Amino acid sequence: MYNYCGQYQNAEMFNNYMQVQRSIHPDFINKFKLFYIGNYFEVNNHLKKKFDLSDLRRCGLFNDKGNLIFAMHRIVIPYLSN
C-alpha cells in the first residue's frame, strides 16, 4: 500500500498537506515512511484486486463490510518491525 500510494503523491500535496497543514517535518515523514491516501476509491479497488479480502481484513486494512478503513484518516503510519 505504501508503494502504491507513494507513486501518486505529488510534491504540492506532500508539501502542503503533510508539512504545512499537518506540521510534520520532512525528515520524520521519510524516516517513518508516512504516506497518505490520495484517492480512497482507487486504493480500495486496487487492494481488493491484488489481495484476498480475508487477508486484507485479517491485517486490519479492511472492515467486516469489505471496505478500506482509512476513509477519514488519510495519513498512514506503517507499523515497522526491526
Side-chain angles (χ1 to χ4, degrees), residues 40 53 56-58 60-69:
Y40 169 84
L53 188 55
L56 293 168
R57 285 183 181 136
R58 198 170 36 243
L61 293 175
F62 279 67
N63 62 19
D64 292 336
K65 294 180 181 179
N67 296 312
L68 183 64
I69 62 169

Side-chain angles (χ1 to χ4, degrees), residues 11-71:
E12 180 182 338
M13 182 63 175
F14 179 82
N15 292 330
N16 188 31
Y17 182 68
M18 299 283 270
Q19 293 178 39
V20 176
Q21 291 180 20
R22 300 302 297 262
S23 301
I24 303 173
H25 194 277
D27 292 341
F28 189 85
I29 294 167
N30 292 326
K31 180 178 179 180
F32 294 102
K33 297 184 178 183
L34 303 184
F35 65 98
Y36 65 90
I37 297 172
N39 184 327
Y40 169 84
F41 298 104
E42 187 176 307
V43 173
N44 185 49
N45 291 333
H46 170 75
L47 291 173
K48 285 180 180 178
K49 288 177 187 173
K50 186 94 172 156
F51 303 99
D52 186 68
L53 188 55
S54 63
D55 291 335
L56 293 168
R57 285 183 181 136
R58 198 170 36 243
C59 72
L61 293 175
F62 279 67
N63 62 19
D64 292 336
K65 294 180 181 179
N67 296 312
L68 183 64
I69 62 169
F70 296 104

